[in-house]
Amino acid sequence: MQVVLIEGDGIGPEVTQAACRVVAAAGVRIDWVKAAAGIPAAEQHGEPLPEETLEMIRRYRVALKGPCTTPVGKGYRSINVRLRQGLDLFASVRPVRTMPGVKTPYEKVDLVVVRENTEGLYSGMEHQVVPGVVESVRLVTRAAAERIVKFAFELARHGGRRLVTFCHKADVMRLSDGLFLECARTVAEDYPFIQFEEKPIDNVCLELASDPTQFDVLVMENLFGDVISDLGAGLVGGLGLVPGANYGNRFAVFEAVHGSAPDIAGQGLANPIAVVRSAALMLEYVGHREAAVKIERAVAATLQNGVGLTRDLGGTGTTATITEQLIKNLGA
Ligand code: NAI
């Protein structure tokens, strides 16, 4: 089977290589087709997201991606945003679950953040009206709002989940989130067997910090989803642990929640677990469920044993030592 591999930049090459090793050790033969994105692509091709990379994902349908740096306030537009929009990967899914052996303030957190991935304030439409005044468009369309809420309900239905929480700020952004909320209510009517609730995003933050176990599936627009994903990662042990997937109707790109971590890049200190678990989600997507379960078990055993863990998990190990443990524990 061929799968596109985008190593990205920063810690991307280190953690994606670790993930490829774990997948191979889990017994799945994948012919990785390398495609460029991020700083190396900008340096080599003069373009951080070459059209060939998008074409390769269109051809092979599935990709595993490392993080890509986006310069702040200057330079090129976010590769991630362009990739998601270019392939219409409208649903970002981030499962946030308590992991064995990882000490956190709350036990038994098991929620999924479903984020609309193509619109909102990340639509990329902003301009300077006059010097000192800038306008950004917060795009909401009925079609995109309905499809992401439907996606969240379908995910709940197939995953045996009972509650979908729609997060919004419709009291202030009355037109944009007003439309989104109206769409969420309409879609919810088709799923009377799943509980539906609507909550202002600020209340959701408070409740996530005080008792995250009350949530199940959370669905929201793009920017809120970006923020809540990191908050969710913080609740269960940090960015090094939480995987992610971007799904469209035709293509899927799997990547961790975390970024390129320039502060630790190239030092062999990055925790590869988030990308390893993203690879497990990829395996599940392409029908290798057994291998995906095996990898998840190996992650659990590695965290539980506490041997070779990286610094973000309180250990003194490296990307290499934790990867060795993951491979060793595949038989666990
Ligand atoms: P970041 O997620 O890269 O790092 C935040 C903190 O978490 C840093 O202290 C970092 O060392 C730590 N960290 C992250 N992943 C880790 C891992 N696997 N193991 C151990 N520690 C880890 O977020 P930041 O610094 O805001 O962003 C850096 C760059 O990444 C930016 O250019 C940003 O645009 C980009 N980014 C890319 C994403 C993607 O490609 N999907 C997602 C998020 C950010």
Side-chain angles (χ1 to χ4, degrees):
M1 187 181 50
Q2 286 164 310
V3 173
V4 175
L5 176 67
I6 299 173
E7 291 187 335
D9 56 49
I11 60 170
E14 302 163 61
V15 289
T16 52
Q17 274 159 31
C20 294
R21 285 187 58 203
V22 174
V23 168
V28 185
R29 244 206 79 143
I30 290 184
D31 185 4
W32 298 101
V33 184
K34 281 199 184 178
I39 293 171
E43 284 168 0
Q44 282 162 28
H45 306 263
E47 164 56 58
L49 182 62
E51 184 52 34
E52 292 153 66
T53 296
L54 290 173
E55 267 314 308
M56 276 196 211
I57 302 173
R58 289 191 188 105
R59 187 175 331 140
Y60 298 108
R61 312 279 166 149
V62 182
L64 179 67
K65 177 184 165 294
C68 297
T69 302
T70 304
V72 178
K74 58 180 166 54
Y76 49 80
R77 259 188 76 208
S78 165
I79 296 156
N80 302 308
V81 172
R82 282 171 56 201
L83 187 82
R84 292 163 194 164
Q85 288 174 344
L87 299 170
D88 200 22
L89 301 169
F90 65 89
S92 158
V93 175
R94 272 103 184 241
V96 173
R97 193 154 44 81
T98 304
M99 300 302 287
V102 181
K103 281 211 175 66
T104 52
Y106 307 99
E107 286 171 16
K108 297 189 182 154
V109 177
D110 182 7
L111 57 91
V112 185
V113 179
V114 177
R115 158 187 175 191
E116 203 292 320
N117 232 358
T118 59
E119 298 190 342
L121 273 171
Y122 290 7
S123 60
M125 290 184 274
E126 51 181 18
H127 66 279
Q128 180 179 276
V129 183
V130 291
V133 182
V134 167
E135 276 180 357
S136 294
V137 174
R138 188 170 190 270
L139 182 71
V140 177
T141 64
R142 183 179 297 280
E146 285 185 353
R147 75 177 171 174
I148 193 66
V149 179
K150 189 172 169 51
F151 183 96
F153 272 100
E154 285 298 314
L155 183 140
R157 191 156 73 97
H158 292 292
R161 293 180 175 270
R162 307 302 333 144
L163 169 67
V164 172
T165 305
F166 176 70
C167 313
H168 66 90
K169 196 67 188 170
D171 51 339
V172 178
M173 291 177 285
R174 295 156 70 136
L175 278 181
S176 57
D177 261 9
L179 172 61
F180 216 137
L181 177 58
E182 182 200 317
C183 293
R185 288 175 181 162
T186 306
V187 172
E189 282 173 17
D190 291 337
Y191 298 86
F193 40 86
I194 293 173
Q195 201 189 329
F196 173 69
E197 62 178 11
E198 44 190 66
K199 286 194 170 165
I201 189 68
D202 37 357
N203 286 17
V204 171
C205 288
L206 175 74
E207 291 177 10
L208 276 170
S210 49
D211 178 15
T213 61
Q214 65 189 287
F215 293 106
D216 199 350
V217 176
L218 295 147
V219 58
M220 64 204 77
E221 64 91 56
N222 212 337
L223 170 62
F224 295 163
D226 196 1
V227 176
I228 295 295
S229 303
D230 273 37
L231 170 53
L235 290 170
V236 295
L239 285 167
L241 292 178
V242 178
N246 302 290
Y247 299 107
N249 287 330
R250 303 182 61 207
F251 317 112
V253 175
F254 297 83
E255 63 178 341
V257 173
H258 66 70
S260 55
D263 51 338
I264 55 166
Q267 300 173 41
L269 298 176
N271 180 354
I273 286 183
V275 176
V276 168
R277 296 181 73 203
S278 304
L281 290 177
M282 183 275 289
L283 290 177
E284 194 167 342
Y285 179 80
V286 297
H288 284 286
R289 185 145 211 283
E290 233 172 78
V293 171
K294 207 165 149 184
I295 291 176
E296 273 293 319
R297 283 208 193 109
V299 169
T302 302
L303 293 169
Q304 187 93 60
N305 297 345
V307 179
L309 300 187
T310 42
R311 288 193 204 167
D312 58 308
L313 296 171
T316 53
T318 61
T319 313
T321 59
I322 200 168
T323 306
E324 288 311 323
Q325 290 301 314
L326 290 168
I327 291 170
K328 187 172 151 228
N329 289 322
L330 279 169

